[in-house]
């Protein structure tokens, strides 16, 4: 039980931890309730200190605003880490070992959700998590006093209750938020009209693969809590959190009955009924005017976008990010529907075609220095496929070519804000077009056909998301819109007389056209869902845009029929004006010190069995930046009749990462030292490990080992194993009498796994080859054995492992495919069944002593069989698999072996790092 609880803790709080650049210096700015940690390259800069002070001031204001309403004040300071290593907008919160918030300070420019202050909204969301997780009352409060901060009953609520509460608060305490978002209203309406509303059991984890995937808990949870708040009172979600904080884990229905007078499943169903009613009424209202006819081009779904016409209008280029393949730029023929892939990469933002039609400019994320995910501008020569990087480390996106191809305008990200820049394509010189100081952000700049004007989407503090024109001749800024609705994605007609953009000024995202000469604004579409990112065809007759459906986003076409345009409705601003009292707070600035946050914050009784039963106590911890991590257990071993202590410590401040471990009792002692060198690239990873091991039982022995691993294996949505790429590895260990070992022996292993995906793409065919040899003392003939369980040298189908020998080789072929994507739970029970998948396999291996000619008839094995696996999530965060299989040994004798096991990705050889990329482990067993 203790082991399962510790694994669950690791899963919940295995938060993203960047591999920090060793050249960074870290500082802490401390206020009354927060410690804000931020980095500089070299000396402290005024810009970084100013931004850290802004974050600290907002945190203190958010604390003063939320705590009286929520009714909870956390003990001690909340740690806030500014992780300026990514060019995307995000953040996360964790209550263990200390209350910690991580902020990625990238403005959400171009987002379909508006903000009056994006940084404050982000902090409100994450601090809401901290307040919710930190609560402990009644029995839970007593247990926390005994065991420490591990007692956090609200942290393992269904995810829709945690994310829904944070979204509810970001709306309650700001003028905007996702509950006032036209996009979220659109998503729920489309799901309802398509009869695809999600039941409560499908929103309890982040692991839903079908659309809307990981956004489902945010969308459904917040709307459901807002519905309950309207019925019971605006403080109902707060009262629920207080009530649940006094119950044991997974008793949230008891808290619901005390606050909402019914269980959550019944309440959810009633809410869905109200959604169906309101969606049908909205459809009827929208359909009073003729609906715009959309001609759908793609069937990608999910996050498809960024349409751009080819020079002659024969193709539309777009970005396909559907999760079923590596993201790609594709070209589709509107006449035939045929599509082709132009380029694959981690793409972001909008694209632009050069006026001569030869180059396509776009932004792509690249991984650098093992931890920076920054975007830069690239150009693709369409005729040859040649890729050229146009910007370097400028954190750039949203490029657009000038009409004479002399300049490229783009958006750059730095220090929590955006600016517009111009790149001279002849000289490579970059100049700033703007120099913002007030958190203004930009998106989708577009040159006018004449080249004098640049239309750009601008987000200004206060919730003003507008379209503006920049006159390159005079430097003037000319507003096209100035209101608090969401205006996005400007796009010029080919004549330059009309500027198109998307707006939600009526509560629906429609296409609008602004006449430059008359300054009249027209609504050009009337759609049931929403349209985004317009692009006008070269003949000025059609517009490609992103259309939304219950499957996600796709590319559609509309005819440019000016007779159907209507004068735009006046804006009715219904958003509240909230002016928070953000004032400078007293603070202290000093170099980062890890020790205040690294001390143990909890302990647990520990019961485990490996080769002996042991009982004792266990703790673990890390500092705010996760530069130091440790695990410590101590207790008593039953059979050995001895006290014991085990310790593992890692230091990752510099490259390499240093890991120390020890297992000590009165009868034996062992320890190890490992140096790990990661070399991570955008589409692959390499690791080099060097280690030394010390053992003392009846004698003393010292050994050395080394390992290298390369992997670019990848799996995608709805695949249950990697479907492309490979892993390659080399392993070695050595013992020597000269360094206290009983023998001179060296073992060497090479292994290779190749993954073949074929239609359907979710099928995975893996070819695995491994070989090993040992030399030195004659005792080396105990080096390797063919095993009957998972490992490098497995041959399934035999009840026992083979005899140990000096040399070994094995190969296998396995086809694994999903049989049933269940993606269901049982009400609010803490279990979510993901899928059932199956495999057929064939294994062969041989081992021998001496030369290859010494291979005997009993030195090889051949096996085949079938396997079924159920993947599911337990306790809402812990990934588990139940595997059963029947394997048959075919040679040298007939046998069979039925097996059943439970495993977790936390313990398996292949831990999934992301849906796009599989980065395999650095250590594999040398001996089965």
């Amino acid at each position: 039980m203790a082991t399962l609880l510790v694994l669950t803790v690791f899963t919940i709080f295995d938060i993203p931890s960047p591999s920090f650049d060793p050249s960074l210096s870290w500082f802490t700015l401390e206020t009354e309730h927060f410690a804000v940690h931020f980095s500089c390259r070299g000396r402290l800069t005024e810009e970084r200190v100013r931004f850290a002070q802004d974050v600290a001031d907002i945190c203190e204001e958010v604390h003063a605003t939320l705590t009286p309403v929520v009714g909870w004040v956390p003990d001690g300071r909340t740690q806030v880490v500014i992780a300026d290593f990514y060019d995307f907008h995000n953040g996360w919160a964790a209550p263990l070992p200390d209350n910690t918030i991580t902020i990625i300070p990238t403005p959400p420019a171009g987002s379909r959700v508006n903000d009056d202050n994006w940084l404050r909204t982000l902090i409100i969301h994450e601090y809401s998590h901290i307040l919710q997780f930190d609560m402990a009352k009644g029995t839970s409060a007593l247990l926390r006093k005994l065991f420490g901060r591990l007692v956090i009953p609200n942290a393992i609520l269904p995810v829709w209750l945690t994310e829904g509460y944070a979204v509810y608060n970001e709306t309650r305490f700001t003028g905007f938020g996702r509950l006032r978002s036209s996009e979220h209203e659109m998503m729920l309406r489309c799901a309802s009209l398509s009869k695809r509303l999600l039941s409560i059991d499908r929103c309890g984890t982040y692991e839903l693969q079908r659309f809307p995937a990981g956004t489902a808990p945010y969308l459904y949870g917040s709307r459901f809590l807002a519905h309950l708040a309207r019925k019971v009172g605006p403080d109902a979600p707060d009262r629920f959190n207080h009530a649940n904080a006094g119950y044991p884990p997974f008793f949230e229905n008891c808290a619901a009955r005390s606050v909402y007078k019914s269980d959550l499943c019944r309440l959810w169903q009633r809410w869905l009924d109200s959604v169906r009613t309101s969606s049908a009424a909205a459809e009827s209202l929208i359909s009073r005017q003729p609906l715009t006819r959309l001609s759908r081009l793609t069937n990608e779904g999910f996050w498809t976008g960024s349409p751009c016409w080819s020079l002659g209008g024969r193709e539309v280029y777009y970005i396909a990010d559907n999760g079923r393949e590596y993201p790609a730029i594709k070209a589709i023929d509107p006449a035939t529907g045929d599509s082709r892939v132009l380029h694959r990469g981690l793409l972001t933002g909008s694209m632009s075609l050069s006026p001569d039609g030869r180059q396509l400019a776009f932004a792509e994320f690249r991984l650098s220095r093992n931890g920076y995910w920054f975007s830069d501008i690239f150009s693709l020569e369409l005729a040859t496929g040649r890729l050229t990087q146009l910007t370097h480390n400028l954190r750039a996106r949203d490029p657009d070519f000038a009409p004479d191809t002399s300049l490229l305008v783009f958006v750059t990200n730095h220090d929590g804000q955006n600016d517009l820049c111009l790149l001279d394509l002849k000289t490579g010189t970059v100049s700033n077009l703007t120099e913002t100081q007030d958190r203004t952000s930009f998106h989708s700049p577009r040159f006018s056909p004449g080249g004098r004007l640049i239309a750009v989407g601008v987000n200004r503090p206060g919730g003003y998301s507008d379209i503006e024109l920049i006159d390159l001749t005079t430097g003037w800024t000319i507003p096209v819109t100035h209101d608090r609705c969401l205006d996005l994605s400007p796009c010029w007609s080919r004549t330059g007389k009309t500027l198109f953009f998307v707006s939600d000024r009526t509560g629906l995202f429609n296409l609008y056209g602004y006449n430059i000469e008359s300054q009249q604004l027209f609504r050009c579409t009337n759609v049931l869902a929403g349209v985004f990112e317009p692009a006008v065809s070269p003949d000025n007759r059609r517009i490609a845009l992103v259309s939304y459906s219950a499957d996600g986003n796709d590319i559609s076409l509309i005819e440019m029929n000016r007779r159907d345009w209507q004068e735009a409705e006046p804006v009715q601003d219904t958003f509240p004006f909230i002016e928070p009292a953000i004032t400078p707070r007293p603070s202290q600035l000093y170099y980062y010190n890890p020790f205040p946050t690294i001390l143990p914050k909890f302990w647990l009784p520990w019961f485990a069995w490996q080769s002996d039963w042991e009982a004792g106590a266990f703790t673990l911890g890390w500092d705010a930046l996760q530069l130091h991590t440790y695990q410590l257990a101590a207790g008593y071993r039953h059979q050995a009749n001895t006290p014991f202590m085990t310790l593992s410590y890692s230091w990752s401040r510099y490259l390499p990462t240093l890991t120390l471990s020890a297992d000590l009792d009165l009868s034996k002692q062992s320890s190890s030292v490992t140096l790990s060198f990661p070399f991570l690239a955008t589409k692959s990873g390499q690791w080099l490990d060097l280690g030394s091991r010390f053992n003392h039982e009846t004698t003393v022995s010292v050994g050395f080992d080394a390992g290298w691993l390369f992997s670019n294996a990848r799996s995608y949505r709805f695949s249950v194993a990697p479907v492309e790429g490979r892993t390659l590895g080399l392993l070695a260990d050595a013992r020597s009498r000269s360094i206290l070992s009983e023998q001179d022996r060296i073992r060497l292993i090479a292994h290779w796994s190749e993954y073949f995906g074929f239609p359907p793409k979710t099928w995975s065919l893996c070819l695995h080859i491994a070989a090993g040899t040992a030399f030195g003392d004659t005792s080396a003939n105990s080096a390797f054995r063919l095993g009957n369980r998972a490992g490098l040298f497995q041959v399934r189908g035999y009840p026992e492992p083979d005899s140990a020998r000096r040399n070994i080789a094995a190969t296998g072929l396995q086809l694994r495919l999903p049989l049933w994507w269940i993606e269901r739970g049982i009400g609010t029970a803490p279990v979510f069944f993901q899928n059932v998948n199956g495999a057929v396999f064939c294994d062969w291996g041989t081992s021998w002593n001496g030369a290859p000619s010494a291979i005997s008839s009993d030195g090889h094995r051949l096996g085949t069989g079938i396997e079924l696996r159920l993947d599911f999530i337990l306790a809402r965060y812990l990934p588990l698999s139940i595997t059963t299989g029947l394997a048959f040994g075919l040679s040298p004798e007939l046998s069979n072996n039925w097996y059943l096991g439970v495993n977790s990705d936390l313990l398996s050889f292949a831990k999934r790092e992301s849906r796009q990329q599989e980065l395999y482990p650095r250590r594999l067993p040398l001996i089965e």
Side-chain angles (χ1 to χ4, degrees), residues 709-727:
L709 183 72
F710 166 86
S711 177
N712 65 354
R714 290 184 289 272
S715 65
Y716 303 106
R717 199 177 302 278
F718 302 116
S719 63
V720 292
V723 294
E724 62 185 36
R726 63 195 55 84
T727 61

Side-chain angles (χ1 to χ4, degrees), residues 200-274:
I200 195 171
D201 56 295
R202 284 182 160 165
C203 300
T205 77
Y206 297 104
E207 295 302 318
L208 185 71
Q209 298 306 310
R210 65 193 67 196
F211 192 81
T215 63
Y218 299 81
L219 171 64
Y220 284 79
S222 61
R223 297 274 164 173
F224 178 52
L225 289 185
H227 167 79
L228 295 179
R230 288 191 296 270
K231 297 287 186 180
V232 181
D235 65 337
D238 303 317
R239 289 190 282 122
F240 172 86
N241 289 332
H242 281 271
N244 191 76
Y247 284 104
F250 315 124
F251 276 71
E252 55 271 1
N253 271 310
C254 294
R257 292 187 189 99
S258 68
V259 176
Y260 301 120
K261 311 307 179 186
S262 183
D263 65 81
L264 294 170
C265 292
R266 289 189 179 91
L267 292 167
W268 188 280
Q269 193 57 50
R270 293 172 195 162
W271 167 65
L272 291 184
D273 291 339
S274 70

Side-chain angles (χ1 to χ4, degrees), residues 260-479:
Y260 301 120
K261 311 307 179 186
S262 183
D263 65 81
L264 294 170
C265 292
R266 289 189 179 91
L267 292 167
W268 188 280
Q269 193 57 50
R270 293 172 195 162
W271 167 65
L272 291 184
D273 291 339
S274 70
V275 170
R276 295 184 184 98
T277 301
S278 61
S279 298
E283 179 187 28
S284 176
L285 181 63
I286 297 168
S287 301
R288 289 180 181 177
Q289 298 181 12
L291 295 176
T292 302
R293 185 175 180 272
L294 299 175
S295 203
R296 187 165 167 176
L297 276 185
T298 68
N299 289 286
E300 305 274 1
F302 287 88
W303 320 118
T304 303
S306 305
C308 176
W309 288 88
S310 66
L311 183 62
R314 297 181 58 184
E315 290 183 312
V316 176
Y317 309 128
Y318 66 96
I319 294 176
D321 189 2
N322 54 38
R324 295 183 288 266
E325 59 183 326
Y326 207 81
I329 298 174
K330 294 184 178 181
I332 188 169
D333 187 331
T336 65
D338 296 334
S339 65
R340 58 193 177 98
V341 174
L342 301 180
H343 171 73
R344 293 196 184 276
L346 299 179
L347 307 151
T348 184
S350 55
M351 299 189 294
S352 176
L353 184 70
S354 62
D356 59 11
R358 296 180 179 179
Q359 299 180 71
L360 191 65
F362 56 88
E364 183 175 326
F365 287 111
R366 293 290 178 92
L367 177 64
S368 62
R369 300 195 190 108
N370 283 338
Y372 293 90
W373 282 103
F374 288 162
S375 62
D376 268 300
I377 307 297
F378 296 80
S379 71
L380 178 70
E381 291 187 11
L382 296 174
T384 64
R386 182 170 173 263
L387 190 67
T388 303
Q389 187 167 349
L390 299 180
T391 67
H392 297 269
N393 301 317
L394 290 183
R395 308 180 67 174
R397 57 173 169 79
D398 291 353
D400 189 55
F401 285 101
D404 61 0
T405 323
S406 63
L407 297 173
L408 190 80
V409 64
F410 60 89
V411 180
T412 183
N413 179 50
H414 62 94
D415 295 314
Q417 59 193 33
N418 288 168
D419 271 306
L420 287 175
C421 293
L422 291 174
L423 169 66
D424 189 316
L425 292 170
K426 293 180 180 179
T427 65
T429 303
V430 176
S431 58
N432 271 48
L433 193 58
T434 64
E435 293 184 359
T436 59
Q437 297 292 331
D438 61 351
R439 308 297 168 206
T440 293
S441 57
F442 302 91
H443 75 277
S444 307
R446 287 294 178 261
F447 277 102
S448 65
R452 184 172 67 90
L453 301 173
I454 293 178
V456 63
V458 183
N459 294 81
R460 298 193 185 277
Y464 294 93
S465 177
D466 296 311
I467 306 298
E468 297 180 359
L469 301 177
I470 299 176
D471 191 321
L472 296 179
T473 304
T474 64
W476 294 350
T477 297
I478 306 166

Side-chain angles (χ1 to χ4, degrees), residues 601-619:
K601 301 300 191 302
F602 77 92
W603 71 277
L604 273 178
W606 174 259
F607 304 94
W609 182 85
Q610 295 177 9
S611 58
D612 188 2
W613 281 105
E614 58 187 37
F618 171 88
T619 189

Side-chain angles (χ1 to χ4, degrees), residues 35 47 101 147 209 284 499 508 516 854:
E47 291 80 10
I101 295 172
F147 294 109
Q209 298 306 310
S284 176
L499 179 65
L508 301 168
I516 297 296

Side-chain angles (χ1 to χ4, degrees), residues 19-249:
S19 298
F20 292 124
D21 186 343
S23 67
L24 294 177
S25 300
W26 282 89
F27 303 88
T28 300
L29 195 148
E30 194 173 88
T31 62
E32 182 180 2
H33 301 103
F34 296 88
V36 178
H37 311 290
F38 64 102
S39 62
C40 292
R41 189 177 301 281
R43 293 183 177 180
L44 199 62
T45 64
E46 182 181 348
E47 291 80 10
R48 289 297 175 99
V49 175
R50 187 188 308 121
F51 183 70
Q53 185 67 58
D54 288 348
V55 170
D57 292 342
I58 293 174
C59 285
E60 288 291 349
E61 182 275 326
V62 167
H63 172 86
T65 300
L66 265 64
T67 52
V69 178
V70 174
W72 190 264
V73 178
D75 291 331
R77 288 185 175 91
T78 297
Q79 310 298 311
V80 180
V81 180
I82 301 176
D84 194 12
F85 313 122
Y86 315 99
D87 279 337
F88 50 80
H89 180 70
N90 206 346
W92 53 85
L96 190 75
D98 291 280
N99 288 326
T100 304
I101 295 172
T102 301
I103 292 172
I104 300 176
T106 300
S111 169
R112 299 176 188 176
V113 178
N114 204 358
D115 283 298
D116 44 12
N117 183 327
W118 66 266
L119 186 56
R120 181 174 181 268
T121 300
L122 176 61
I123 292 172
I124 285 175
H125 183 102
E126 303 306 337
Y127 197 57
S128 295
H129 284 317
I130 295 298
L131 296 179
Q132 184 182 33
F133 294 163
D134 192 73
M135 291 181 184
K137 307 189 82 172
T139 304
S140 297
L142 293 176
L143 290 174
R144 179 176 291 183
K145 290 183 181 296
L146 176 62
F147 294 109
R149 287 196 56 82
L150 189 65
V151 182
I152 39 179
N154 285 348
I156 50 178
L157 284 166
V159 175
W160 62 262
L161 269 170
T162 57
E163 296 298 353
Y165 178 68
V167 174
Y168 176 74
N169 273 356
E170 78 182 41
T171 306
R172 182 165 51 152
F173 297 106
T174 73
F176 292 88
R178 278 171 273 190
L179 280 173
R180 297 189 183 98
S181 160
S182 299
E183 181 193 33
H184 276 225
E185 183 67 32
M186 171 193 72
M187 294 174 71
L188 206 60
R189 181 173 65 252
C190 286
S192 176
L193 297 178
S194 301
K195 296 181 170 47
R196 290 168 59 176
L197 288 171
L198 296 178
S199 54
I200 195 171
D201 56 295
R202 284 182 160 165
C203 300
T205 77
Y206 297 104
E207 295 302 318
L208 185 71
Q209 298 306 310
R210 65 193 67 196
F211 192 81
T215 63
Y218 299 81
L219 171 64
Y220 284 79
S222 61
R223 297 274 164 173
F224 178 52
L225 289 185
H227 167 79
L228 295 179
R230 288 191 296 270
K231 297 287 186 180
V232 181
D235 65 337
D238 303 317
R239 289 190 282 122
F240 172 86
N241 289 332
H242 281 271
N244 191 76
Y247 284 104

